[in-house]
Each structure stands twice: as C-alpha cells, then as structure tokens.
C-alpha cells in the first residue's frame, strides 16, 4: 500500500539550470487535487451517510448528542486502529493487538481488585506486560525471522492462554474500577466529549508527525516499500520493524486500560471486536489523504466514517445484523471507489498508449 519513493535525477554540469517558471492557476490545481474524490473519497462517502441517516432518522440522528456519541464511542477503536499504522508502514502485521488489549484490560482490573494495588501501580504493571509482548513479537519476527502474520498470531494465542489463566474466562469487576481516580481516565468529559477522544487526537498527531515530518518516518515508508533497497541505503530496517511492534503493543495495551476505565470491568474478550475493524480502518485510511501510504489521519477518518454509520443504524433500526452488513458494504464500496474505480480509467489509458498500432507495424516491416 506504500507509494514508490522517487529521487530527483542528477543534471549534468554542462546543462544550464533553467529559471523557475510560474504556472498560473497552480494554487487552484493544488486545491482541486486536495479536494478530489481520489484524495478524500471517504469524506464524500461520510457526507452521503450523514445525509442518508438525517433523512432516515430526522428526530434522533442530526443532533449534537449523536456527534458526541460517535466521537466517544469510537475513541478506543481509533486507538486500536492507530496501533497498526506504524507496523503496516514498515510492512509488518501485528495480529496480537486484540489479545494485548484484552491482556492489559484484565491485568489492570486484576491488580486493582484482587491484588489491591492503586490505579497507578496497576496501570504501570499492565503496560509493562504490553511492553513485554511487543519485545517478544520483535524477537520472534525480527531476530528469529518468522513471518509477522504467523508470529503475532501465535503470540496472540499464548496471550489468550494467559488471559484465561488469570480470569477463567470471566470478567473482573469491582467497586474500585468504578471509583475515582481510575474511572476518570475514560469518563471525565468536557462539554460531553470524554478524555479518550483527546487520547485519540494526541496519538494521531504523534504518529502523523513521526511518519510525515521525521527521517524515521521516511525510513519506515522506505522499509515498507522495499526493505532490501532501504537496507542498502543504510537504513536499519530490522531495528525499525522491532520498534514498530513494540509501539503497536504499547498503544493497543493503553487502549485496553482505557476500555477498562470506560466500562468499569476487565473483559477477557475486550479486544476481540476491534481486530478486524482496526485493519479495515487502516487499509481504508491508506486510500485517503496520502494515497498509497498508511497514515494516521486517514485511519481516524475511516474509523469515524464506520462509527457514524453504525450509530445511525442503531438510531434508525434495531436489527442486530445491520451493523455488520453496513461495515462490510462500506468497506467494499470505499475501497473499490477510492482504489480501483478511480484508478481503472488511468490503467485503461496506459494500456491504450502501449497497445501496438497495426498500421505502424506494417510500415516498419
């Protein structure tokens, strides 16, 4: 999904440098490109969804309460989705994020309820466990050279066994999980918007800055595009992949802590519903803003798009299958329109240019 890096060609010394020519209308063209369907197609799909549910449920959907519900209800999903962006940028899959989220959720609750630790100590121990998961993933994938898809799936199974051992597949509840100051981690709000929304924005800002405005981000994209070429250029690809797995585990682990503070219990299946949606949002986000590159703001946009539709369906109908149908349909349509549907005319034009001309062939013969 990453775009091909380009390098400027070297100009021979004998060729004089041409003065820059001002092209009229350049700002207009840039604005048109930035607002094109190919660049922000998900925004237009999002607007269509908003209009659709405004007409379908005019009494309940077009309200500020719905806006806050979409933001608050999808903050944790956004954190999990952002956790896979750095590994994917380096062409690494981390399928253990859901299990890591569940692990920190139950460990935080276990240390507070069963062990009697304070919130700070419990969170620190849970995040240490998430750090260890990231290190183990890095060792297996980078050092032992196991394919990341299989390796993280295997470590996820090991994490699930630990979760079962701690919880016996039962949620951990307790009054301390509902009391201050732990509950305020997720339930404290300003104007109806809770703190997890702020966490989501900060995480997106940090990942955006890392990928777009640092040398490390450029090296990550180069690693994801062609690891061998990047290695020949002096990029430490193994170290970058290792660190992305550690960062992924830490961010998904933090999402588990926020989830526990939000619902007031540690669930052994806290992360299960977020795995597929996280990767779906990341891949849809890769078609937005920075087409061909996994990026933070495109991922957040995809999360909110899906969250808006699911919230609208909940307000308009009570059918349990509607949310899954909507998610699958929107993902297919968004990927086809922003990826294949817009690129198809370009492909056809390229084939038309390269198609042999029978008249020319006869003249040559």
């Amino acid at each position: 999904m990453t775009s091909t890096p380009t390098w400027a060609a070297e100009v021979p010394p004998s060729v004089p440098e041409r003065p820059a020519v001002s092209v009229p209308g350049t700002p207009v063209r840039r604005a048109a490109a930035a607002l094109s369907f190919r660049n922000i197609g998900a925004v237009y799909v999002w607007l269509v969804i908003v209009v659709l549910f405004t007409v379908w449920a005019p009494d309940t959907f077009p309200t500020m309460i719905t806006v806050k519900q979409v933001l608050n209800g999808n903050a944790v999903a956004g954190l999990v989705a952002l956790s896979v962006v750095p590994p994917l940028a380096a062409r690494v899959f981390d399928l253990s994020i859901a299990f890591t989220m569940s692990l920190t959720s139950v460990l935080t609750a276990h240390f507070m309820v069963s062990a009697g630790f304070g919130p700070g100590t419990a969170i620190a121990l849970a995040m240490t466990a998430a750090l260890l998961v990231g290190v183990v993933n890095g060792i297996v994938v980078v050092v032992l050279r196991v394919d990341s898809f299989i390796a993280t799936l295997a470590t996820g199974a090991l994490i699930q066994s630990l979760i079962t051992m701690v919880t016996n597949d039962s949620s951990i509840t307790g009054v301390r999980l509902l009391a201050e100051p732990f509950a305020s981690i997720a339930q404290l709000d300003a104007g109806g918007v809770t703190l997890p929304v702020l966490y989501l924005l900060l995480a997106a800002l940090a990942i955006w800055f890392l990928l777009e405005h640092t040398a490390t981000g450029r090296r990550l994209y180069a690693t994801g595009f062609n690891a061998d070429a990047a290695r020949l250029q002096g990029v430490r690809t193994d170290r970058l992949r290792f660190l992305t797995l550690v960062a992924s585990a830490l961010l998904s682990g933090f999402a588990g802590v926020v989830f526990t503070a939000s619902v007031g219990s540690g669930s052994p299946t806290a992360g299960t519903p977020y795995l597929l949606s996280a990767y779906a949002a990341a891949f849809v986000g890769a078609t937005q803003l920075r087409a061909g590159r996994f990026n933070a703001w495109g991922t957040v946009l995809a999360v909110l798009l899906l969250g808006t539709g699911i919230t609208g369906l909940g307000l308009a109908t009570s059918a349990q299958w509607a949310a899954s149908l909507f998610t699958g349909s929107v993902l297919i349509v968004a990927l086809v329109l922003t990826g294949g549907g817009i690129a198809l005319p370009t492909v056809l034009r390229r084939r038309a240019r390269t198609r042999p001309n029978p008249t020319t062939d006869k003249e040559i013969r």
Side-chain angles (χ1 to χ4, degrees), residues 182-216:
F182 181 72
S184 62
I185 294 175
Q187 299 179 19
L188 188 65
D189 68 277
V193 178
T194 56
L195 277 181
V197 178
L198 176 62
Y199 305 151
L200 175 62
L201 293 177
L202 291 177
L205 184 64
I207 294 174
W208 165 77
F209 183 81
L210 171 70
L211 293 179
E212 302 296 337
H213 295 280
T214 66
T216 301

mmCIF file of all heavy atoms in Angstrom, residues 182-216:
data_model
loop_
_atom_site.group_PDB
_atom_site.id
_atom_site.type_symbol
_atom_site.label_atom_id
_atom_site.label_comp_id
_atom_site.label_asym_id
_atom_site.label_seq_id
_atom_site.Cartn_x
_atom_site.Cartn_y
_atom_site.Cartn_z
ATOM 1 N N PHE A 182 -9.550 6.240 39.006
ATOM 2 C CA PHE A 182 -9.383 5.379 37.840
ATOM 3 C C PHE A 182 -10.466 5.626 36.789
ATOM 4 O O PHE A 182 -10.178 5.706 35.596
ATOM 5 C CB PHE A 182 -9.408 3.907 38.269
ATOM 6 C CG PHE A 182 -9.227 2.942 37.130
ATOM 7 C CD1 PHE A 182 -7.998 2.807 36.520
ATOM 8 C CD2 PHE A 182 -10.288 2.188 36.673
ATOM 9 C CE1 PHE A 182 -7.827 1.925 35.461
ATOM 10 C CE2 PHE A 182 -10.129 1.304 35.611
ATOM 11 C CZ PHE A 182 -8.892 1.171 35.003
ATOM 12 N N ALA A 183 -11.707 5.751 37.207
ATOM 13 C CA ALA A 183 -12.797 5.921 36.250
ATOM 14 C C ALA A 183 -12.652 7.209 35.435
ATOM 15 O O ALA A 183 -13.090 7.274 34.285
ATOM 16 C CB ALA A 183 -14.135 5.911 36.981
ATOM 17 N N SER A 184 -12.012 8.217 36.022
ATOM 18 C CA SER A 184 -11.889 9.496 35.321
ATOM 19 C C SER A 184 -10.959 9.394 34.102
ATOM 20 O O SER A 184 -10.993 10.266 33.229
ATOM 21 C CB SER A 184 -11.365 10.569 36.267
ATOM 22 O OG SER A 184 -10.070 10.241 36.742
ATOM 23 N N ILE A 185 -10.155 8.331 34.024
ATOM 24 C CA ILE A 185 -9.268 8.157 32.873
ATOM 25 C C ILE A 185 -10.066 8.127 31.575
ATOM 26 O O ILE A 185 -9.619 8.630 30.538
ATOM 27 C CB ILE A 185 -8.441 6.860 33.029
ATOM 28 C CG1 ILE A 185 -7.480 6.995 34.207
ATOM 29 C CG2 ILE A 185 -7.684 6.540 31.747
ATOM 30 C CD1 ILE A 185 -6.714 5.727 34.504
ATOM 31 N N ALA A 186 -11.255 7.538 31.626
ATOM 32 C CA ALA A 186 -12.076 7.426 30.420
ATOM 33 C C ALA A 186 -13.398 8.175 30.514
ATOM 34 O O ALA A 186 -14.001 8.484 29.487
ATOM 35 C CB ALA A 186 -12.357 5.957 30.115
ATOM 36 N N GLN A 187 -13.855 8.477 31.724
ATOM 37 C CA GLN A 187 -15.197 9.032 31.873
ATOM 38 C C GLN A 187 -15.216 10.536 32.121
ATOM 39 O O GLN A 187 -16.276 11.154 32.057
ATOM 40 C CB GLN A 187 -15.928 8.311 33.010
ATOM 41 C CG GLN A 187 -16.100 6.825 32.751
ATOM 42 C CD GLN A 187 -16.793 6.099 33.883
ATOM 43 O OE1 GLN A 187 -17.466 6.722 34.712
ATOM 44 N NE2 GLN A 187 -16.634 4.788 33.949
ATOM 45 N N LEU A 188 -14.072 11.119 32.418
ATOM 46 C CA LEU A 188 -14.021 12.563 32.587
ATOM 47 C C LEU A 188 -14.274 13.231 31.231
ATOM 48 O O LEU A 188 -13.714 12.819 30.214
ATOM 49 C CB LEU A 188 -12.655 12.997 33.126
ATOM 50 C CG LEU A 188 -12.505 14.464 33.527
ATOM 51 C CD1 LEU A 188 -13.401 14.789 34.709
ATOM 52 C CD2 LEU A 188 -11.050 14.770 33.863
ATOM 53 N N ASP A 189 -15.145 14.240 31.221
ATOM 54 C CA ASP A 189 -15.511 14.851 29.940
ATOM 55 C C ASP A 189 -15.486 16.366 30.037
ATOM 56 O O ASP A 189 -15.519 16.947 31.115
ATOM 57 C CB ASP A 189 -16.900 14.386 29.499
ATOM 58 C CG ASP A 189 -17.998 14.931 30.399
ATOM 59 O OD1 ASP A 189 -18.251 14.333 31.464
ATOM 60 O OD2 ASP A 189 -18.594 15.962 30.040
ATOM 61 N N ALA A 190 -15.430 16.971 28.876
ATOM 62 C CA ALA A 190 -15.520 18.423 28.754
ATOM 63 C C ALA A 190 -16.547 18.723 27.675
ATOM 64 O O ALA A 190 -16.312 18.452 26.490
ATOM 65 C CB ALA A 190 -14.169 19.018 28.384
ATOM 66 N N GLY A 191 -17.703 19.240 28.099
ATOM 67 C CA GLY A 191 -18.773 19.520 27.154
ATOM 68 C C GLY A 191 -19.368 18.280 26.534
ATOM 69 O O GLY A 191 -19.869 18.328 25.404
ATOM 70 N N GLY A 192 -19.284 17.152 27.236
ATOM 71 C CA GLY A 192 -19.842 15.911 26.712
ATOM 72 C C GLY A 192 -18.863 15.069 25.924
ATOM 73 O O GLY A 192 -19.172 13.933 25.557
ATOM 74 N N VAL A 193 -17.669 15.578 25.655
ATOM 75 C CA VAL A 193 -16.629 14.834 24.936
ATOM 76 C C VAL A 193 -15.637 14.298 25.957
ATOM 77 O O VAL A 193 -15.029 15.060 26.706
ATOM 78 C CB VAL A 193 -15.910 15.723 23.906
ATOM 79 C CG1 VAL A 193 -14.811 14.937 23.202
ATOM 80 C CG2 VAL A 193 -16.901 16.280 22.908
ATOM 81 N N THR A 194 -15.460 12.981 25.990
ATOM 82 C CA THR A 194 -14.658 12.349 27.029
ATOM 83 C C THR A 194 -13.169 12.379 26.691
ATOM 84 O O THR A 194 -12.764 12.641 25.552
ATOM 85 C CB THR A 194 -15.108 10.891 27.230
ATOM 86 O OG1 THR A 194 -15.023 10.197 25.983
ATOM 87 C CG2 THR A 194 -16.545 10.842 27.737
ATOM 88 N N LEU A 195 -12.354 12.050 27.701
ATOM 89 C CA LEU A 195 -10.903 12.076 27.541
ATOM 90 C C LEU A 195 -10.365 11.138 26.461
ATOM 91 O O LEU A 195 -9.373 11.472 25.808
ATOM 92 C CB LEU A 195 -10.231 11.752 28.877
ATOM 93 C CG LEU A 195 -10.063 12.917 29.852
ATOM 94 C CD1 LEU A 195 -9.363 12.450 31.122
ATOM 95 C CD2 LEU A 195 -9.261 14.049 29.209
ATOM 96 N N PRO A 196 -10.941 9.938 26.250
ATOM 97 C CA PRO A 196 -10.399 9.089 25.181
ATOM 98 C C PRO A 196 -10.353 9.756 23.813
ATOM 99 O O PRO A 196 -9.501 9.412 22.993
ATOM 100 C CB PRO A 196 -11.356 7.891 25.196
ATOM 101 C CG PRO A 196 -11.797 7.786 26.613
ATOM 102 C CD PRO A 196 -11.917 9.205 27.073
ATOM 103 N N VAL A 197 -11.239 10.693 23.551
ATOM 104 C CA VAL A 197 -11.181 11.417 22.284
ATOM 105 C C VAL A 197 -9.895 12.230 22.206
ATOM 106 O O VAL A 197 -9.233 12.303 21.154
ATOM 107 C CB VAL A 197 -12.410 12.333 22.121
ATOM 108 C CG1 VAL A 197 -12.330 13.130 20.822
ATOM 109 C CG2 VAL A 197 -13.694 11.506 22.155
ATOM 110 N N LEU A 198 -9.509 12.823 23.333
ATOM 111 C CA LEU A 198 -8.245 13.560 23.383
ATOM 112 C C LEU A 198 -7.066 12.618 23.189
ATOM 113 O O LEU A 198 -6.105 12.948 22.475
ATOM 114 C CB LEU A 198 -8.128 14.299 24.721
ATOM 115 C CG LEU A 198 -6.816 15.052 24.963
ATOM 116 C CD1 LEU A 198 -6.621 16.144 23.921
ATOM 117 C CD2 LEU A 198 -6.791 15.650 26.367
ATOM 118 N N TYR A 199 -7.121 11.435 23.819
ATOM 119 C CA TYR A 199 -6.055 10.451 23.615
ATOM 120 C C TYR A 199 -5.922 10.092 22.135
ATOM 121 O O TYR A 199 -4.805 9.959 21.616
ATOM 122 C CB TYR A 199 -6.335 9.170 24.415
ATOM 123 C CG TYR A 199 -6.565 9.360 25.889
ATOM 124 C CD1 TYR A 199 -7.379 8.487 26.599
ATOM 125 C CD2 TYR A 199 -5.955 10.404 26.589
ATOM 126 C CE1 TYR A 199 -7.593 8.646 27.960
ATOM 127 C CE2 TYR A 199 -6.164 10.571 27.946
ATOM 128 C CZ TYR A 199 -7.000 9.690 28.632
ATOM 129 O OH TYR A 199 -7.210 9.854 29.974
ATOM 130 N N LEU A 200 -7.062 9.927 21.483
ATOM 131 C CA LEU A 200 -7.050 9.575 20.060
ATOM 132 C C LEU A 200 -6.391 10.669 19.232
ATOM 133 O O LEU A 200 -5.556 10.391 18.358
ATOM 134 C CB LEU A 200 -8.483 9.331 19.583
ATOM 135 C CG LEU A 200 -8.679 9.076 18.092
ATOM 136 C CD1 LEU A 200 -7.958 7.818 17.651
ATOM 137 C CD2 LEU A 200 -10.165 8.990 17.750
ATOM 138 N N LEU A 201 -6.744 11.918 19.494
ATOM 139 C CA LEU A 201 -6.168 13.031 18.739
ATOM 140 C C LEU A 201 -4.662 13.144 18.979
ATOM 141 O O LEU A 201 -3.889 13.384 18.039
ATOM 142 C CB LEU A 201 -6.871 14.333 19.118
ATOM 143 C CG LEU A 201 -8.347 14.445 18.712
ATOM 144 C CD1 LEU A 201 -8.935 15.755 19.215
ATOM 145 C CD2 LEU A 201 -8.509 14.334 17.202
ATOM 146 N N LEU A 202 -4.248 12.970 20.225
ATOM 147 C CA LEU A 202 -2.817 13.054 20.538
ATOM 148 C C LEU A 202 -2.035 11.927 19.874
ATOM 149 O O LEU A 202 -0.934 12.136 19.354
ATOM 150 C CB LEU A 202 -2.611 13.029 22.054
ATOM 151 C CG LEU A 202 -3.100 14.268 22.824
ATOM 152 C CD1 LEU A 202 -2.900 14.072 24.324
ATOM 153 C CD2 LEU A 202 -2.360 15.520 22.356
ATOM 154 N N ALA A 203 -2.593 10.713 19.906
ATOM 155 C CA ALA A 203 -1.926 9.581 19.266
ATOM 156 C C ALA A 203 -1.827 9.786 17.761
ATOM 157 O O ALA A 203 -0.787 9.516 17.144
ATOM 158 C CB ALA A 203 -2.668 8.282 19.587
ATOM 159 N N ALA A 204 -2.911 10.272 17.151
ATOM 160 C CA ALA A 204 -2.896 10.530 15.704
ATOM 161 C C ALA A 204 -1.886 11.618 15.363
ATOM 162 O O ALA A 204 -1.156 11.516 14.359
ATOM 163 C CB ALA A 204 -4.288 10.921 15.230
ATOM 164 N N LEU A 205 -1.836 12.657 16.178
ATOM 165 C CA LEU A 205 -0.883 13.744 15.945
ATOM 166 C C LEU A 205 0.552 13.249 16.034
ATOM 167 O O LEU A 205 1.405 13.589 15.205
ATOM 168 C CB LEU A 205 -1.128 14.869 16.952
ATOM 169 C CG LEU A 205 -0.275 16.132 16.794
ATOM 170 C CD1 LEU A 205 -0.584 16.810 15.469
ATOM 171 C CD2 LEU A 205 -0.526 17.094 17.952
ATOM 172 N N ALA A 206 0.844 12.419 17.036
ATOM 173 C CA ALA A 206 2.197 11.892 17.207
ATOM 174 C C ALA A 206 2.596 11.000 16.037
ATOM 175 O O ALA A 206 3.720 11.114 15.512
ATOM 176 C CB ALA A 206 2.287 11.124 18.528
ATOM 177 N N ILE A 207 1.699 10.113 15.612
ATOM 178 C CA ILE A 207 2.026 9.213 14.502
ATOM 179 C C ILE A 207 2.150 9.989 13.201
ATOM 180 O O ILE A 207 3.037 9.724 12.375
ATOM 181 C CB ILE A 207 0.954 8.107 14.392
ATOM 182 C CG1 ILE A 207 1.006 7.212 15.637
ATOM 183 C CG2 ILE A 207 1.164 7.272 13.140
ATOM 184 C CD1 ILE A 207 -0.089 6.175 15.697
ATOM 185 N N TRP A 208 1.259 10.972 13.002
ATOM 186 C CA TRP A 208 1.352 11.817 11.807
ATOM 187 C C TRP A 208 2.692 12.543 11.749
ATOM 188 O O TRP A 208 3.362 12.559 10.701
ATOM 189 C CB TRP A 208 0.208 12.824 11.811
ATOM 190 C CG TRP A 208 0.392 13.953 10.834
ATOM 191 C CD1 TRP A 208 0.211 13.928 9.483
ATOM 192 C CD2 TRP A 208 0.838 15.282 11.148
ATOM 193 N NE1 TRP A 208 0.497 15.150 8.928
ATOM 194 C CE2 TRP A 208 0.878 15.997 9.935
ATOM 195 C CE3 TRP A 208 1.181 15.926 12.331
ATOM 196 C CZ2 TRP A 208 1.271 17.333 9.875
ATOM 197 C CZ3 TRP A 208 1.564 17.258 12.280
ATOM 198 C CH2 TRP A 208 1.602 17.940 11.065
ATOM 199 N N PHE A 209 3.100 13.122 12.853
ATOM 200 C CA PHE A 209 4.368 13.853 12.875
ATOM 201 C C PHE A 209 5.532 12.896 12.632
ATOM 202 O O PHE A 209 6.472 13.226 11.896
ATOM 203 C CB PHE A 209 4.538 14.562 14.220
ATOM 204 C CG PHE A 209 5.786 15.396 14.302
ATOM 205 C CD1 PHE A 209 5.818 16.672 13.747
ATOM 206 C CD2 PHE A 209 6.931 14.912 14.912
ATOM 207 C CE1 PHE A 209 6.973 17.445 13.803
ATOM 208 C CE2 PHE A 209 8.084 15.679 14.979
ATOM 209 C CZ PHE A 209 8.100 16.951 14.417
ATOM 210 N N LEU A 210 5.480 11.718 13.234
ATOM 211 C CA LEU A 210 6.558 10.748 13.057
ATOM 212 C C LEU A 210 6.689 10.328 11.599
ATOM 213 O O LEU A 210 7.798 10.320 11.040
ATOM 214 C CB LEU A 210 6.289 9.518 13.934
ATOM 215 C CG LEU A 210 7.216 8.320 13.707
ATOM 216 C CD1 LEU A 210 8.614 8.630 14.209
ATOM 217 C CD2 LEU A 210 6.663 7.068 14.403
ATOM 218 N N LEU A 211 5.575 10.001 10.973
ATOM 219 C CA LEU A 211 5.627 9.460 9.614
ATOM 220 C C LEU A 211 5.873 10.526 8.556
ATOM 221 O O LEU A 211 6.524 10.255 7.540
ATOM 222 C CB LEU A 211 4.335 8.715 9.299
ATOM 223 C CG LEU A 211 4.065 7.432 10.095
ATOM 224 C CD1 LEU A 211 2.724 6.827 9.693
ATOM 225 C CD2 LEU A 211 5.183 6.417 9.900
ATOM 226 N N GLU A 212 5.367 11.726 8.772
ATOM 227 C CA GLU A 212 5.403 12.743 7.726
ATOM 228 C C GLU A 212 6.496 13.790 7.894
ATOM 229 O O GLU A 212 6.847 14.463 6.920
ATOM 230 C CB GLU A 212 4.045 13.460 7.649
ATOM 231 C CG GLU A 212 2.865 12.541 7.391
ATOM 232 C CD GLU A 212 2.931 11.865 6.038
ATOM 233 O OE1 GLU A 212 3.618 12.396 5.142
ATOM 234 O OE2 GLU A 212 2.309 10.801 5.871
ATOM 235 N N HIS A 213 7.026 13.945 9.098
ATOM 236 C CA HIS A 213 7.939 15.066 9.337
ATOM 237 C C HIS A 213 9.240 14.654 10.020
ATOM 238 O O HIS A 213 9.916 15.512 10.593
ATOM 239 C CB HIS A 213 7.233 16.139 10.177
ATOM 240 C CG HIS A 213 6.069 16.775 9.480
ATOM 241 N ND1 HIS A 213 6.200 17.764 8.532
ATOM 242 C CD2 HIS A 213 4.737 16.538 9.578
ATOM 243 C CE1 HIS A 213 5.014 18.121 8.083
ATOM 244 N NE2 HIS A 213 4.104 17.386 8.702
ATOM 245 N N THR A 214 9.569 13.398 9.995
ATOM 246 C CA THR A 214 10.836 12.957 10.575
ATOM 247 C C THR A 214 11.546 12.019 9.607
ATOM 248 O O THR A 214 10.914 11.389 8.747
ATOM 249 C CB THR A 214 10.635 12.230 11.917
ATOM 250 O OG1 THR A 214 9.936 10.996 11.695
ATOM 251 C CG2 THR A 214 9.862 13.091 12.898
ATOM 252 N N ALA A 215 12.856 11.920 9.790
ATOM 253 C CA ALA A 215 13.630 10.978 8.972
ATOM 254 C C ALA A 215 13.235 9.541 9.273
ATOM 255 O O ALA A 215 13.246 8.684 8.383
ATOM 256 C CB ALA A 215 15.120 11.186 9.231
ATOM 257 N N THR A 216 12.860 9.284 10.533
ATOM 258 C CA THR A 216 12.429 7.933 10.893
ATOM 259 C C THR A 216 11.194 7.520 10.105
ATOM 260 O O THR A 216 11.077 6.378 9.651
ATOM 261 C CB THR A 216 12.137 7.860 12.397
ATOM 262 O OG1 THR A 216 13.319 8.206 13.128
ATOM 263 C CG2 THR A 216 11.698 6.457 12.805
#
